[in-house]
């Protein structure tokens, strides 16, 4: 499983520690540390920035600049994939329309990965799995809060659709905002991302306990990355592996 750490991270030296010889997740909305990803990371993926824009009250409606950006980046050797634009609170028809206009849908389907939102139908999920080599799972609607009992149940239903009878995924699965050992160790993810390090390296009160608190944000980034990356995702899906429990590193999302 590939763990993508979301950029930007402040300071830049902590960003380097978080993704050096590792994997970066670069947002179209916040691309200022793309150079760090290109210089020190093994690989990087690109987020369309729709979630951040939606939360800010300014959802993106025109995607031509994003298409141009991906058109340049996907030629770089360390590029893995881009999250295809989606409408966070839109209908399935809205999101299918964006898939239809994705420039690389037929010529290079590996360039992009569509998002299936957990509140959408399982029929749409089944269709995406059959049509795309990689799909992203995004928490939304009544399942927006990651780690709730309802969220665990919905994820189990999704895995039953994605995986065959032997528990093998029929497409690569990327978990959006799911880079949390309490989450990704329960599912057969190919990759996951989060901004856990970016959100937590600067919260001093969280690092004051213990006899040897790390003195710098760079050291904090090292500790968080090591703790997260010491875990691995499943190879095969099993409902027994998805208990209803609280996550170990849950991000705070209203």
């Amino acid at each position: 499983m590939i763990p993508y750490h979301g950029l930007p991270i402040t300071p830049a030296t902590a960003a380097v520690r978080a993704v050096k010889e590792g994997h970066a997740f670069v947002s179209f909305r916040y691309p200022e540390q793309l150079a760090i990803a290109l210089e020190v990371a093994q690989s990087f993926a690109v987020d369309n920035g729709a979630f951040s824009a939606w939360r800010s009250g300014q959802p993106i409606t025109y995607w031509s600049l994003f298409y141009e950006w991906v058109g340049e980046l996907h030629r770089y050797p360390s590029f893995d994939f881009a999250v295809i634009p989606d409408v966070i609170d839109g209908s399935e028809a809205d999101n299918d329309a964006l898939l239809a206009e994705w420039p690389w849908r037929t010529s290079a389907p590996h360039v992009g990965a569509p998002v299936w939102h957990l509140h959408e139908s399982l029929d749409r999920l089944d269709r995406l799995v059959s049509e795309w080599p990689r799909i992203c799972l995004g928490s939304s609607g009544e399942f927006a809060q990651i780690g709730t009992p309802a969220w665990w149940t919905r994820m189990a239903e999704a895995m039953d659709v994605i995986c065959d009878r032997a528990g093998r995924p029929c497409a690569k699965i990327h978990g959006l905002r799911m880079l949390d050992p309490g989450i990704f160790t329960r599912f057969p993810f190919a990759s996951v991302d989060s901004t856990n390090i970016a959100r937590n390296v600067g919260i001093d009160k969280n690092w004051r306990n213990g006899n040897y608190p790390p003195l710098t944000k760079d050291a904090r980034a090292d500790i968080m990355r090591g703790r997260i990356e010491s875990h691995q995702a499943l190879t095969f899906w099993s409902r027994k592996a998805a208990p209803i429990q609280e996550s170990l590193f849950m991000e705070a999302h209203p």
Side-chain angles (χ1 to χ4, degrees):
M1 184 201 79
I2 297 176
Y4 292 100
H5 298 288
L7 299 176
I9 298 172
T10 303
T13 51
V16 170
R17 298 282 276 273
V19 302
K20 186 177 181 179
E21 300 176 352
H23 309 277
F25 208 57
V26 182
S27 173
F28 176 60
R29 187 172 173 84
Y30 304 108
E32 54 265 31
Q33 289 186 342
L34 172 63
I36 290 176
L38 294 176
E39 289 171 8
V40 306
Q42 288 186 25
S43 72
F44 72 100
V46 171
D47 180 35
N48 60 43
F51 181 77
S52 298
W54 174 75
R55 287 186 65 193
S56 73
Q58 299 177 322
I60 302 171
T61 55
Y62 297 99
W63 291 98
S64 57
L65 292 178
F66 179 69
Y67 298 153
E68 292 177 11
W69 195 53
V70 173
E72 172 67 22
L73 295 183
H74 88 275
R75 298 177 179 275
Y76 296 174
S78 56
F79 174 91
D80 284 339
F81 71 94
V83 179
I84 296 175
D86 60 316
V87 184
I88 305 299
D89 56 355
S91 67
E92 294 186 8
D94 292 333
N95 284 295
D96 284 342
L98 287 172
L99 296 187
E101 72 174 40
W102 179 244
W104 301 274
R105 177 172 183 134
T106 56
S107 62
H110 63 279
V111 169
V115 179
W116 180 75
H117 305 88
L118 267 65
H119 74 275
E120 294 177 339
S121 70
L122 295 175
D123 286 340
R124 182 172 192 262
L125 174 61
D126 188 44
R127 173 161 51 84
L128 293 179
V129 169
S130 67
E131 295 177 354
W132 295 85
R134 181 190 303 266
I135 63 166
C136 302
L137 301 185
S139 303
S140 58
E142 63 267 44
F143 313 107
Q145 183 60 51
I146 297 174
T148 65
W151 184 89
W152 282 107
T153 298
R154 187 58 169 173
M155 284 291 290
E157 293 171 347
M159 291 298 152
D160 287 343
V161 172
I162 296 169
C163 301
D164 63 19
R165 292 185 178 180
R168 299 169 299 192
C170 297
K172 291 186 180 297
I173 313 168
H174 178 83
L176 293 167
R177 299 188 294 123
M178 299 181 194
L179 184 53
D180 173 335
I183 298 297
F184 68 72
T185 58
R186 309 301 182 182
F187 302 106
F189 287 125
S191 57
V192 285
D193 76 85
S194 84
T195 56
N196 275 336
I197 294 178
R199 288 173 176 271
N200 289 287
V201 292
I203 303 177
D204 294 339
K205 66 180 181 180
N206 291 347
W207 297 92
R208 291 172 183 159
N209 296 327
N211 294 326
Y212 303 100
L215 297 179
T216 67
K217 293 178 181 178
D218 297 15
R220 294 173 184 178
D222 269 338
I223 290 170
M224 288 195 68
R225 177 180 175 182
R227 188 176 178 190
I228 292 169
E229 295 187 6
S230 66
H231 300 270
Q232 186 55 273
L234 295 178
T235 299
F236 304 104
W237 160 242
S238 169
R239 275 184 171 262
K240 294 180 180 179
I244 297 175
Q245 62 177 39
E246 289 299 322
S247 152
L248 299 179
F249 294 94
M250 188 58 60
E251 291 187 64
H253 292 289

